[in-house]
């Protein structure tokens, strides 16, 4: 509940302060702590805290790690999720598209992280009524999952069900 969320936030704040003090604000461990803190804010529904925290850690990660580092790509997608939760759909879709493109560029089209990113981008498309874009992306992602994963894989089955509900089949 709320008490657990508050405890998590306090814990991440304390860890972040300690890591920044000992290792500096640009240390990868400090960036990881800031990302966890932003995620805890998002999980607690505290968007007014989550959004600026994610924006700051994304800017720091882009500067320190580079735009195509996997941590930076993941943070970009998480900021997209926070924008989605806040109802800021254009920003959410832009960030999720950037994350998906980053995973494709960095890991390849068939990597599990790329496939998961494609599925979350399709959900964002659906949220704004871009059914054709969502259907196209879900079909491609499902086909890649069927090639890359074993039969009956839960991610593949979830995509199949999502596509069936979107396509009306």
């Amino acid at each position: 509940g709320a008490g657990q969320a508050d405890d998590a936030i306090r814990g991440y704040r304390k860890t972040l302060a300690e890591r920044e003090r000992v290792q500096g604000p640009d240390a990868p461990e400090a960036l990881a702590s800031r990302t966890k803190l932003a995620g805890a804010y998002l999980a607690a529904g505290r968007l007014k805290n989550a959004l600026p925290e994610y924006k700051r850690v994304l800017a720091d990660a882009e500067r320190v790690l580079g735009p195509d580092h996997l941590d930076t790509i993941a943070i970009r997608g998480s900021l997209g999720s926070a924008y989605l939760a806040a109802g800021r759909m254009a920003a959410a879709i832009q960030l999720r598209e950037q994350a998906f493109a980053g995973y494709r560029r960095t890991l390849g089209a068939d990597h599990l992280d790329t496939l998961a990113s494609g599925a979350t981008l399709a959900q964002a498309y659906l949220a704004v009524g871009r059914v054709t874009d969502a259907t196209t992306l879900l079909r491609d992602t499902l086909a890649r999952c069927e090639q890359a994963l074993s039969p009956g894989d839960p991610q593949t089955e979830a995509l199949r069900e999502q596509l069936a509900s979107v396509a009306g089949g």
Side-chain angles (χ1 to χ4, degrees):
Q4 285 179 314
D6 290 340
D7 288 346
I9 289 167
R10 271 194 298 279
Y12 287 133
R13 276 188 184 147
K14 184 178 176 188
T15 302
L16 174 61
E18 183 66 13
R19 286 185 170 169
E20 286 184 337
R21 185 182 65 74
V22 173
Q23 299 166 312
D26 288 345
E29 297 82 4
L31 295 176
S33 290
R34 184 168 302 289
T35 302
K36 287 179 181 176
L37 176 59
Y41 283 136
L42 180 59
R46 292 173 56 179
L47 294 172
K48 71 181 190 322
N49 300 105
L51 287 168
E53 204 66 54
Y54 272 129
K55 284 190 226 175
R56 177 178 169 195
V57 73
L58 178 59
D60 290 347
E62 286 176 337
R63 179 175 48 78
V64 174
L65 303 173
D68 278 343
H69 189 283
L70 290 177
D71 290 349
T72 306
I73 295 168
I75 293 164
R76 198 173 289 122
S78 295
L79 177 57
S81 296
Y83 277 129
L84 195 64
R88 293 173 60 183
M89 305 312 278
I93 287 174
Q94 180 182 20
L95 285 160
R96 287 219 172 148
E97 286 174 342
Q98 290 171 357
F100 181 58
Y103 281 124
R104 284 182 72 107
R105 225 177 11 259
T106 306
L107 298 173
D110 296 328
H111 190 278
L112 288 178
D113 291 345
T114 306
L115 297 172
S117 181
T120 59
L121 175 57
Q123 291 167 349
Y125 285 156
L126 287 174
V128 296
R130 289 174 60 180
V131 177
T132 303
D133 290 334
T135 303
T136 301
L137 185 53
L138 285 169
R139 281 194 178 117
D140 178 67
T141 304
L142 177 60
R144 291 179 185 284
C145 281
E146 288 171 341
Q147 292 293 309
L149 304 173
S150 57
D153 180 87
Q155 187 172 346
T156 305
E157 295 309 312
L159 279 168
R160 189 173 285 115
E161 288 170 20
Q162 189 177 11
L163 182 58
S165 70
V166 171

